[in-house]
Amino acid sequence: MSREIKFRAFVNEIKLMGKVCELYCDGGVVIDNYEYPLQPSSIELTQYTGLKDKDGKEIYEGDIVRAFSVCDMVYDYCFEKDNDPTKFYEIVFNDGCFQFKGEKQWSDGSNDWRSIENVELFKVEVIGNIYENPELLTGMTTK
């Protein structure tokens, strides 16, 4: 199965998130039809996962999602069934796949990260991203 390869980028200096139209080998990037220098400290590139949330919104690396378990057979595998509207997960790329990054840490020091390959089993909603809405990962709720 193939997926569409596309990126979006956050320009740190002006706090702008936009669609990447072009990437240049010489270090430039075109975001929403404006060209910016591509420097590690100035631009954050995020890749499309190939999946969409419950409302059809594309899910990108760096997105913050609200997710609820909706299937008992998945309960032990991924999310708790507490229907907590403040339970947010960051989408990360780790170990060769996109994953939900959970808030728990296991006794061996590993994080509670789970693959998003079964995203269709969950009610998932993109509510922000780590660049424009970092407060969502510090326990604050949405308004």
Side-chain angles (χ1 to χ4, degrees), residues 47-65:
Q47 188 172 359
Y48 177 48
T49 65
L51 301 171
K52 296 181 180 179
D53 76 356
K54 68 181 188 67
D55 299 320
K57 186 173 183 179
E58 295 175 341
I59 301 174
Y60 282 81
E61 176 183 11
D63 277 347
I64 300 170
V65 299

Side-chain angles (χ1 to χ4, degrees), residues 5 10-11 14 29 36 54 58 60 64 70-71 94-95 110 114 123 128 130 138:
I5 304 294
F10 183 73
V11 183
I14 59 174
V29 62
Y36 299 92
K54 68 181 188 67
E58 295 175 341
Y60 282 81
I64 300 170
V70 296
C71 181
N94 185 53
D95 289 335
S110 64
R114 302 289 183 225
K123 178 181 176 185
I130 61 172
T138 61

Side-chain angles (χ1 to χ4, degrees), residues 62-134:
D63 277 347
I64 300 170
V65 299
R66 182 188 335 241
F68 303 94
S69 174
V70 296
C71 181
D72 284 345
M73 69 182 219
V74 179
Y75 171 66
D76 290 330
Y77 176 71
C78 226
F79 302 115
E80 298 175 14
K81 295 192 312 185
D82 58 8
N83 289 331
D84 180 354
T86 64
K87 190 170 281 293
F88 303 142
Y89 300 87
E90 179 184 348
I91 302 299
V92 297
F93 189 79
N94 185 53
D95 289 335
C97 66
F98 291 102
Q99 299 179 352
F100 291 103
K101 180 180 177 185
E103 58 196 27
K104 295 180 183 175
Q105 192 165 21
W106 304 110
S107 58
D108 67 359
S110 64
N111 289 315
D112 183 21
W113 295 12
R114 302 289 183 225
S115 171
I116 65 172
E117 67 187 34
N118 293 323
V119 76
E120 68 275 4
L121 300 176
F122 302 99
K123 178 181 176 185
V124 176
E125 176 184 25
V126 174
I127 57 166
N129 62 69
I130 61 172
Y131 306 104
E132 296 173 303
N133 316 101

